[in-house]
Amino acid sequence: TGMFTYDPGFLATASCESAITYIDGDKGQLLYRGYPIEQLAENCDFMDVSYLILNGELPDDKQKQDFDSLVTHHTMVHEQLQLFMRGFRRDAHPMAVLTGLVGALSAFYHDSTDITNPRHREISAIRLIAKMPTLVAMAYKYNQGQPYIYPRNDLSYTGNFLRMMFATPCEDYQVNEVVERALDRIFILHADHEQNASTSTVRLCGSSGTNPFAAIAAGVACLWGPAHGGANEACLQMLEQLQAEGGVAKVGEFMEKVKDKSSGVRLMGFGHRVYKNYDPRAKLMQATCKEVLTALGLENDPLFKLAMELERIALEDPYFVDRKLYPNVDFYSGIVQRAIGIPTPLFTAIFALARTVGWIAQWDEMLSDPEYKIGRPRQLYTGSAVRDIKR
Ligand code: CMC
C-alpha cells in the first residue's frame, strides 16, 4: 500500500488518545471514566453522568447542585429560532430539523468561536447540553402543529424534556417517575461510546478549529444513518412491519430472509463493530423495557414479545453465533420509547440529545491537547494517470 496504511472503515486504526470511554468488545464491557455502565445506570442520573464525562469525576452534592442549576439556566433558546423553524416543512424528519437547528445556534453565540479559551469551550458545552432537549421538543411540537412548551426550571433535566414534549397550554403533564427514570437511563446508555462514526465526525470537523455548534451539527448529521443512530428507528419499523405481516408466526420466514444476503435485509438492532460478545447496554435496556411495560400495564406488548422471540432464535442460530452478532442498545430502546409515547421518527433525535455530552467532551478533550492537529486522512489514488485535454 505504498507510503500509507490502508484501512478502509478504520477497523485497525486508532485516531486519537482518549481518557473518557473504554470498551472491551470481547468482554462486553463499557466504562465511562473507569466506572462500569451497569453501576452508573443503577446509581446515577444523567446529570451525574454528564458531569463525569465532562470533568472526569462524579460530582459531590454541591458540585451536582451547581451543575444542575448551570444547565437549567441555559435551557431556553433564542426566540428567533422559532422563525427559523418555520422554514421547514411540517413533515420534515426531526433529524433534518435538528441538524439545522444545532448548526444555527452558532449564529447566536459569537463567543463560542474562541475555541482556544477553555472557559468559552465550557460554556458552549453547557449550552449544547442544556438546549438539546428544548430543540428536540420544538421539532416534535412543530411536527404536531402544537405550540412550543417552554422549559421549566424546577424540573429535572429529563422531567423537563418530557414536559416540553407532552404538555400543552391546556393541559400540564404529570411526570411519571418510572417513565422519567427509563428515559434518563436511555440518556445514560447513549451518552458516549468512544470513537464511533459520529464522534469521529465531531472530532474531525472540530479539528479544523470550527465553531462547536457546527461540529456537533456534523455529528448529528452522521448519527442519522441507519447503520448508526438511525438503527433504533429502523429497528422499530422492522418490528412493526413484521407484526403487521403475522408477528411471531412469521419470525422463521423473516430470519431466512435476513440470512439470505441477496435480500439485503438485516436484523436491525443486531451486530456491532466492537462488541463481539454482547452489548452491555442491550442487557440494561431489556431490563428497563420490562420495567416500563409493566409499570404502564403493557406487559403483553406484541412488539416486545416479537423482539424477545427474534433474539431467542438469533442467539441459537449459527448464522448469528458464528458472526458474533448480538442485540445492540437499539434493539430494545425503540420499544421503551414507543411505550413512553415518543413517535418513531424522534428516536434518533433522542439519541443525539444524549450523545451530545460525549461529542462535546471528546471535542474539548481534543482541543485541550496542545499537540492536536487538523485531521487529514490520505488516500490511495485509483484514477487516471496525468493526461492532456484534446479539443
Ligand atoms: N443482520 C444480518 N447480518 C448481519 C448484521 C445484521 N444486523 N450485522 C452484521 N451482519 C453480518 C454481515 O452481513 C457480515 O456477514 P459476512 O461476514 O458473511 O459478510 C458480518 O455479519 C459482519 O458484518 P459487517 O457489516 O462487516 O460488520 P460491521 O462491523 O461493519 O457492521 C453494524 C456493524 C452495526 C453496522 C452491523 O452489524 C449492522 O448493520 N447492524 C444493523 C444496524 C444496527 O443495529 N446498527 C446499530 C449499531 S449500535 C448503535 C450505534 O452505533 O448507533
Side-chain angles (χ1 to χ4, degrees):
T1 56
M3 281 165 63
F4 310 119
T5 311
Y6 178 49
D7 183 18
F10 307 110
L11 276 99
T13 299
S15 62
C16 63
E17 290 185 325
S18 181
I20 301 174
T21 291
Y22 176 76
I23 303 175
D24 185 329
D26 296 326
K27 278 202 217 146
Q29 186 182 48
L30 168 62
L31 315 175
Y32 296 159
R33 301 281 189 185
Y35 293 112
I37 190 69
E38 292 81 4
Q39 292 182 30
L40 293 166
E42 193 58 41
N43 300 298
C44 300
D45 68 15
F46 182 60
M47 283 295 97
D48 289 317
V49 170
S50 299
Y51 186 98
L52 171 71
I53 287 176
L54 289 170
N55 299 299
E57 295 298 336
L58 281 167
D60 61 25
D61 289 348
K62 170 82 170 61
Q63 287 165 330
K64 171 79 179 294
Q65 224 176 14
D66 291 349
F67 186 70
D68 262 346
S69 89
L70 185 62
V71 170
T72 304
H73 185 78
H74 284 283
T75 46
M76 293 269 285
V77 295
H78 198 289
E79 201 71 2
Q80 264 183 293
L81 273 182
Q82 294 189 11
L83 301 177
F84 185 77
M85 282 293 296
R86 282 214 222 146
F88 290 104
R89 284 170 56 132
R90 209 166 270 301
D91 61 355
H93 194 283
M95 287 300 279
V97 176
L98 200 61
T99 312
L101 285 175
V102 175
L105 288 180
S106 51
F108 290 88
Y109 303 108
H110 292 199
D111 50 355
S112 63
T113 48
D114 181 9
I115 56 155
T116 57
N117 183 334
R119 284 290 309 148
H120 286 189
R121 292 208 298 273
E122 190 189 334
I123 198 68
S124 294
I126 297 294
R127 280 178 177 144
L128 272 156
I129 293 166
K131 290 179 204 307
M132 280 302 268
T134 315
L135 297 179
V136 174
M138 277 175 78
Y140 174 61
K141 288 299 196 193
Y142 184 74
N143 172 274
Q144 296 293 296
Q146 290 179 6
Y148 304 122
I149 301 295
Y150 288 85
R152 220 173 69 185
N153 288 356
D154 57 324
L155 297 175
S156 73
Y157 184 85
T158 305
N160 199 19
F161 173 64
L162 282 165
R163 186 175 166 276
M164 287 191 287
M165 286 281 296
F166 297 121
T168 67
C170 324
E171 206 169 4
D172 204 1
Y173 173 81
Q174 289 310 317
V175 179
N176 173 320
E177 266 177 39
V178 179
V179 167
E180 183 181 0
R181 182 78 202 130
L183 189 58
D184 200 76
R185 180 172 275 196
I186 290 182
F187 292 166
I188 292 173
L189 298 184
H190 287 87
D192 194 50
H193 215 223
E194 49 120 310
Q195 308 312 318
N196 56 83
S198 59
T199 303
S200 300
T201 299
V202 169
R203 279 187 181 256
L204 189 57
C205 185
S207 78
S208 74
T210 194
N211 176 295
F213 299 98
I216 301 298
V220 176
C222 177
L223 187 73
W224 192 357
H228 192 6
N232 50 19
E233 178 178 349
C235 179
L236 202 84
Q237 279 164 353
M238 172 192 81
L239 292 174
E240 277 172 343
Q241 193 185 338
L242 188 54
Q243 185 60 27
E245 287 168 359
V248 173
K250 293 285 167 137
V251 163
E253 211 175 289
F254 176 72
M255 286 302 222
E256 288 312 311
K257 225 192 290 171
V258 169
K259 291 190 279 180
D260 171 11
K261 291 285 171 64
S262 67
S263 74
V265 177
R266 282 196 165 194
L267 181 55
M268 297 313 285
F270 254 71
H272 198 275
R273 173 63 63 80
V274 185
Y275 293 120
K276 300 298 178 194
N277 179 333
Y278 68 89
D279 178 341
R281 304 169 302 170
K283 269 199 181 159
L284 292 161
M285 210 62 254
Q286 193 199 47
T288 302
C289 195
K290 274 193 193 139
E291 248 170 67
V292 170
L293 294 177
T294 308
L296 299 178
L298 300 168
E299 300 90 329
N300 294 320
D301 182 62
L303 292 197
F304 185 57
K305 293 220 159 113
L306 191 56
M308 300 269 283
E309 183 62 6
L310 284 168
E311 179 179 343
R312 190 187 65 77
I313 293 181
L315 295 183
E316 288 171 359
D317 190 309
Y319 175 96
F320 295 92
V321 176
D322 294 349
R323 290 175 177 75
K324 299 188 161 76
L325 301 170
Y326 295 88
N328 60 50
V329 65
D330 291 327
F331 196 62
Y332 288 103
S333 73
I335 302 172
V336 177
Q337 295 187 65
R338 179 168 159 274
I340 293 175
I342 294 169
T344 317
L346 224 65
F347 292 178
T348 314
I350 293 200
F351 188 160
L353 182 171
R355 184 56 57 86
T356 294
V357 172
W359 287 333
I360 202 71
Q362 301 256 358
W363 169 82
D364 184 65
E365 184 182 57
M366 175 181 73
L367 295 180
S368 308
D369 178 354
E371 306 270 294
Y372 100 89
K373 283 191 172 62
I374 185 168
R376 187 16 174 128
R378 302 305 301 265
Q379 64 167 12
L380 301 180
Y381 179 64
T382 60
S384 164
V386 62
R387 52 183 167 164
D388 296 316
I389 296 174
K390 295 200 179 70
R391 280 210 269 222

